[in-house]
Amino acid sequence: MALQIDYFAAATDEEAARTVDLESGLRSLPFDDESDSAAPEYDVVASQDVDPGLALGYLNELLTGVPVEEFLDSGWPAPVAVSADEQKFVLQVDPGFVALMSTREAPFDGLAAQWAAVEAPEDADEWNPRPLDLADFLAEFVALTLRAQDEGKHIYCWLWP
């Protein structure tokens, strides 16, 4: 089963944690403006391929040369909230990685092709993303990091099965 992963910006860990009811899985992120509530709106970058650990670790290794294992051992992504069944998470994305991504410029096709070609370790989940999907993700993610930077926010992700 594919994971659902939504990246978004929030000012604090507490605000990020309030974006979802971890037990029911109901998100308070107004994705489609169906809510009449006065809740803040969040820009969301959705993905089924790009998890905040291994997938972003592959990209970080391409950009910096830091091995993916070192990226994963650095304590990021940092858990902000976890459901009782440990199946749903709100995680903060590594601020150093976010800062690095905010310096990237389009076009992203070449980087996406390199990223898609990375071979996953034998004990890792399958990694077969389409380069076009990764290029689209990169464009949206970089735009999100720039908006977050301008607003003094951090990047988080909501991950659930």
Side-chain angles (χ1 to χ4, degrees), residues 58-126:
Y58 295 149
L59 179 58
N60 187 71
E61 185 170 355
L62 281 173
L63 296 173
T64 67
V66 173
V68 67
E69 297 81 11
E70 192 174 319
F71 180 83
L72 295 172
D73 289 342
S74 69
W76 300 100
V80 171
V82 181
S83 65
D85 64 3
E86 297 184 352
Q87 296 294 308
K88 303 174 199 84
F89 305 89
V90 176
L91 305 165
Q92 184 181 9
V93 178
D94 177 358
F97 177 78
V98 170
L100 174 67
M101 291 308 296
S102 71
T103 67
R104 306 305 301 177
E105 293 182 8
F108 297 109
D109 298 339
L111 179 58
Q114 289 178 317
W115 190 16
V118 170
E119 291 189 31
E122 284 185 28
D123 60 342
D125 291 336
E126 187 176 325

